[in-house]
Amino acid sequence: DTAVSQTPKYLVTQMGNDKSIKCEQNLGHDTMYWYKQDSKKFLKIMFSYNNKELIINETVPNRFSPKSPDKAHLNLHINSLELGDSAVYFCASSQGRQETQYFGPGTRLLVL
Amino acid sequence: AQSVTQLDSHVSVSEGTPVLLRCNYSSSYSPSLFWYVQHPNKGLQLLLKYTSAATLVKGINGFEAEFKKSETSFHLTKPSAHMSDAAEYFCVVSGVSASKIIFGSGTRLSIRP
């Protein structure tokens, strides 16, 4: 069973479109995260939710909006996609904010 | 303030020789420190973590790291490299504040046959 899953695995879309990436964890964790990894492998945290409440909101464009319908899900919606949004987006979860994070396989987003 | 610096962007070693990946951190509080590994086209996997218990931490796949407060370092080592160790390695510092989870820039480890 996959602990942290993301859909879709690949996403190719045109500039200006709106898209969503879904994340689900079956570990019973209370904290979930979204990261962006650029082409140079640099990883940056975007958002973190603890028990469905936003606790980290780094400086990202407001075109990015996370939504957590319940503790096991944290989805990422992106409006008006731009070329610079092309990256790999990773979801992760942990039990507690300083504990080990378990990562999903990543969603490779390409904006044309 | 919190920060983490991985001193080498790329390390290349021969199979069977020791591996040393360097990480320095700064933190106003007692940090939690982690090493994660990312194999090509995969997500990140925890290698090991330090959370103020023993300063020498053993992880998976024969890796270990030593927390040295006086040097503010948390270097990752392995006595003998294997071809399957070729990957990207990230040092991570996590502080008391929920907003402080910082990844290093990564070190790409290559293994020569």
Side-chain angles (χ1 to χ4, degrees):
Chain A
D1 285 342
T2 303
V4 182
S5 59
Q6 296 178 228
T7 53
K9 192 171 182 181
Y10 298 96
L11 184 53
V12 181
T13 188
Q14 299 285 334
M15 275 176 54
N17 285 349
D18 303 338
K19 291 293 178 186
S20 291
I21 308 172
K22 295 185 177 181
C23 177
E24 177 181 2
Q25 54 97 2
N26 63 8
L27 298 166
H29 288 166
D30 61 4
T31 306
M32 295 185 72
Y33 312 81
W34 275 110
Y35 290 89
K36 179 181 180 181
Q37 186 174 46
D38 63 23
S39 58
K40 295 183 179 177
K41 302 289 186 185
F42 185 68
L43 260 168
K44 185 171 168 57
I45 190 167
M46 300 173 70
F47 302 103
S48 176
Y49 270 71
N50 178 258
N51 286 319
K52 294 172 49 182
E53 289 189 24
L54 181 65
I55 55 171
I56 297 176
N57 184 2
E58 292 295 311
T59 307
V60 298
N62 57 15
R63 299 182 293 105
F64 290 79
S65 53
K67 285 187 172 49
S68 181
D70 55 58
K71 266 177 45 172
H73 296 83
L74 180 62
N75 303 325
L76 183 64
H77 188 75
I78 316 171
N79 289 328
S80 303
L81 277 155
E82 300 178 357
L83 294 176
D85 298 332
S86 296
V88 182
Y89 291 84
F90 286 100
C91 176
S93 72
S94 65
Q95 185 58 35
R97 301 170 193 176
Q98 284 188 278
E99 295 304 317
T100 302
Q101 294 184 37
Y102 292 80
F103 284 78
T107 295
R108 284 149 185 81
L109 171 64
L110 178 61
V111 182
L112 302 174
Chain B
Q2 234 167 230
S3 67
V4 59
T5 303
Q6 290 184 243
L7 297 161
D8 307 293
S9 59
H10 183 210
V11 169
S12 179
V13 302
S14 297
E15 191 175 18
T17 64
V19 174
L20 170 64
L21 305 183
R22 298 182 294 166
C23 173
N24 285 106
Y25 72 93
S26 71
S27 178
S28 304
Y29 305 96
S30 297
S32 293
L33 293 159
F34 306 78
W35 276 100
Y36 286 86
V37 60
Q38 184 180 27
H39 287 94
N41 299 314
K42 300 284 186 185
L44 281 76
Q45 180 187 17
L46 179 73
L47 276 179
L48 50 82
K49 69 177 180 181
Y50 166 77
T51 53
S52 74
T55 56
L56 182 62
V57 183
K58 293 189 185 298
I60 62 171
N61 302 336
F63 284 94
E64 62 182 40
E66 187 171 6
F67 174 72
K68 291 187 176 180
K69 188 174 181 178
S70 60
E71 299 176 12
T72 60
S73 69
F74 190 57
H75 300 335
L76 182 71
T77 60
K78 182 172 180 176
S80 176
H82 191 271
M83 294 300 291
S84 61
D85 294 328
E88 192 88 17
Y89 291 79
F90 293 93
C91 182
V92 181
V93 61
S94 176
V96 173
S97 166
S99 64
K100 296 301 181 187
I101 301 171
I102 301 174
F103 278 68
S105 54
T107 298
R108 181 165 61 93
L109 176 62
S110 301
I111 312 296
R112 301 186 298 271

